[in-house]
Amino acid sequence: MSVASANQTRHDIALLLRLLKRTGSTDLGWLPAATWDWRAFARLCDYHDVGSFIYCRLRGQTGITFPPGLLEHLRVRFLEASVHNYHLAQKLIELTSLLEENEIPVLAYKGPALAMIAYGDLALRQYQDLDVVIRPEHLLKAVELMTRCGFEIAADWWNPSRPEDPRYVARYHEIAFRAPDRSYFVDLHWQLAPHQAQAFRLDVDMLWNRAASLKLLQSDISTLCREDLFLALCCHGTVHRWGRLKWLLDIAELLRGAETLNWLRIEEMTRNRPLARASATLALGLAHDLLDLVVPAQAARILPATERTRAVTAAICEEILLRGHTSGNNHTALLGLEGSTIEWIKYFGVQPAWWFHQVFVQVTPKERALVDLPQRLEFLYHFVRPVRLVLKHSRRVARSLWAMAVF
């Protein structure tokens, strides 16, 4: 990355963070209007899935001139997200009704439920799929029911879903389904985080005792209580090293809502789960440092920052401020909070499938952005990904080897 490009990125991420804050000036005067490439800023909004939120912030500003192209780009994103979000909200109601009519209790998680709880508006939070939580003992029945109704399991070819196998259920945490009309996906959860993050995730058995009711499009659905939602979001963001600012904005908006969290309940929920408490502390630190969130005194007492959480917070902040994003889903945030390198080496040593999945199987939007392949050739993305990763990390590896050689 050139110096000019790096400076542009730093300017853009600083502006984006300023606009994500509920208070403070949105003045663009600090950017040279004649040379500012607003398209790079628009791509940054798209990357972090906050275009709808930013559009609603900008359209309400007076006395400030924004590039017309930027406002139009964000307006289109806002309209697309609004239509898609309301469509998914209706599909969520239909899915939960289907499951509950067949005696499968279900909790809505993230997606439309989070948009209403944290933002109070379906259009303000961008989401691409639906997430629901069921009890592990209902998994096989739910899979059979959804399959009969036209949902298609979107499993990896190297790791077919085996909900009938207790070992599979113990190791994994969700099954992805493609909807009958192929317009969205459903992630069917029985845990809220992968196996390697089990020390950070919630005890799902207790979710049902604290479940809350939510009004969604004139219907009532069951969802996580605000405290469970907060801790689940903290774990999810930490697993993915807070790779999208949308996840951090979720935390800030949830805590800025009219309803306050029951911090005594959170204290009880995390008393015997120190790593769940650590991920929540990390989330509060990031929201405070990047989004100016005022951390309640009770929260600061229950979730005090430690030397380890402060170090991880500082590292993630530096990545975002310098590069516009973090290194993403590589579990380094979990490792930094846990501090047990031996355990992680042991885990990865007996989990070669994890490495294979990360390098060869997983396909992300970055691969699709490099080349647009027709559906019949999508298998080629599995070859594009390792090439992209090699090009991305080769320079970093070379610098590390040089440093080792010198010192």
Side-chain angles (χ1 to χ4, degrees):
M1 182 183 293
S2 66
V3 173
S5 178
N7 289 337
Q8 174 78 53
T9 298
R10 286 194 290 271
H11 285 172
D12 288 347
I13 195 63
L15 174 61
L16 180 57
L17 290 170
R18 181 182 299 187
L19 291 170
L20 290 177
K21 301 172 185 177
R22 283 293 191 177
T23 58
S25 170
T26 56
D27 181 17
L28 284 178
W30 64 288
L31 284 168
T35 59
W36 183 45
D37 180 10
W38 64 263
R39 294 174 183 81
F41 177 77
R43 288 193 296 270
L44 197 63
C45 292
D46 291 343
Y47 177 85
H48 288 288
D49 287 336
V50 293
S52 293
F53 186 90
I54 296 300
Y55 174 70
C56 292
R57 289 279 283 142
L58 294 184
R59 70 177 180 178
Q61 299 299 316
T62 58
I64 302 175
T65 301
F66 297 100
L70 172 62
L71 290 179
E72 179 60 20
H73 175 91
L74 295 175
R75 187 184 73 86
V76 170
R77 286 289 184 268
F78 173 76
L79 294 176
E80 291 174 346
S82 297
V83 172
H84 186 64
N85 289 1
Y86 278 89
H87 170 69
L88 287 191
Q90 183 59 50
K91 294 300 181 181
L92 175 62
I93 293 171
E94 295 173 4
L95 177 61
T96 56
S97 297
L98 171 68
L99 293 170
E100 289 173 349
E101 287 170 1
N102 286 270
E103 300 181 344
I104 303 174
V106 58
L107 298 175
Y109 170 49
K110 296 192 295 187
L114 176 55
M116 292 305 300
I117 294 171
Y119 298 79
D121 190 331
L122 285 174
L124 283 181
R125 184 184 190 271
Q126 295 175 219
Y127 47 90
Q128 288 72 45
D129 51 22
L130 296 176
D131 294 81
V132 294
V133 184
I134 62 171
R135 298 179 186 272
E137 59 266 28
H138 294 146
L139 177 58
L140 187 57
K141 181 179 179 181
V143 170
E144 293 174 347
L145 174 63
M146 293 179 65
T147 303
R148 286 201 309 271
C149 292
F151 287 88
E152 178 186 347
I153 294 178
D156 297 320
W157 61 267
W158 65 278
N159 179 32
S161 297
R162 298 187 301 277
E164 71 285 353
D165 185 350
R167 292 174 298 179
Y168 174 88
V169 176
R171 183 173 299 279
Y172 296 94
H173 71 294
E174 65 181 3
I175 293 178
F177 288 86
R178 183 180 288 108
D181 63 3
R182 306 181 75 84
S183 66
Y184 64 97
F185 286 84
V186 175
D187 290 336
L188 186 67
H189 297 259
W190 57 96
Q191 292 287 351
L192 294 181
H195 176 73
Q196 59 267 33
Q198 58 184 324
F200 293 80
R201 66 192 184 191
L202 291 171
D203 182 356
V204 294
D205 291 337
M206 301 301 296
L207 294 180
W208 306 92
N209 299 331
R210 299 185 291 259
S213 179
L214 175 69
K215 181 70 72 175
L216 182 66
L217 301 183
Q218 307 306 313
S219 298
D220 292 317
I221 62 171
S222 295
T223 186
L224 281 65
C225 73
R226 293 171 67 87
E227 292 77 22
D228 279 325
L229 180 60
F230 169 70
L231 291 176
L233 294 176
C234 292
C235 177
H236 175 266
T238 302
V239 166
H240 296 282
R241 198 171 174 80
W242 299 95
R244 294 290 187 273
L245 286 176
K246 173 181 72 172
W247 301 330
L248 195 58
L249 183 63
D250 291 340
I251 298 294
E253 292 299 302
L254 183 64
L255 297 185
R256 287 173 181 146
E259 298 181 43
T260 58
L261 296 182
N262 184 338
W263 293 104
L264 293 179
R265 173 182 279 186
I266 290 178
E267 182 177 27
E268 178 64 28
M269 293 162 63
T270 59
R271 178 169 292 138
N272 298 318
R273 304 184 70 82
L275 293 180
R277 184 168 62 248
S279 67
T281 303
L282 173 63
L284 290 180
L286 290 170
H288 173 270
D289 291 354
L290 296 175
L291 301 181
D292 287 352
L293 175 72
V294 177
V295 179
Q298 197 172 19
R301 179 186 65 81
I302 293 170
L303 304 171
T306 66
E307 182 178 352
R308 185 167 291 158
T309 58
R310 282 192 289 266
V312 177
T313 299
I316 291 177
C317 285
E318 183 178 11
E319 290 179 29
I320 293 174
L321 293 174
L322 291 180
R323 296 161 39 190
H325 58 84
T326 73
S327 53
N329 183 13
N330 58 8
H331 303 290
T332 54
L334 297 183
L335 178 58
L337 292 177
E338 187 176 30
S340 178
T341 306
I342 293 177
E343 287 301 314
W344 280 84
I345 292 176
K346 193 189 319 180
Y347 173 78
F348 293 140
V350 299
Q351 291 290 336
W354 185 89
W355 295 102
F356 185 73
H357 177 271
Q358 292 295 313
V359 176
F360 295 101
V361 177
Q362 178 177 244
V363 175
T364 71
K366 294 180 181 179
E367 285 77 55
R368 298 182 187 278
L370 286 176
V371 56
D372 185 14
L373 295 174
Q375 187 174 3
R376 68 178 183 279
L377 296 178
E378 284 196 344
F379 69 93
L380 292 176
Y381 283 124
H382 299 295
F383 299 94
V384 173
R385 178 168 175 78
V387 172
R388 185 186 71 78
L389 291 176
V390 168
L391 294 176
K392 174 183 177 182
H393 295 291
S394 58
R395 185 177 300 177
R396 183 183 303 171
V397 171
R399 285 199 299 266
S400 299
L401 291 176
W402 172 254
M404 292 172 62
V406 171
F407 296 101

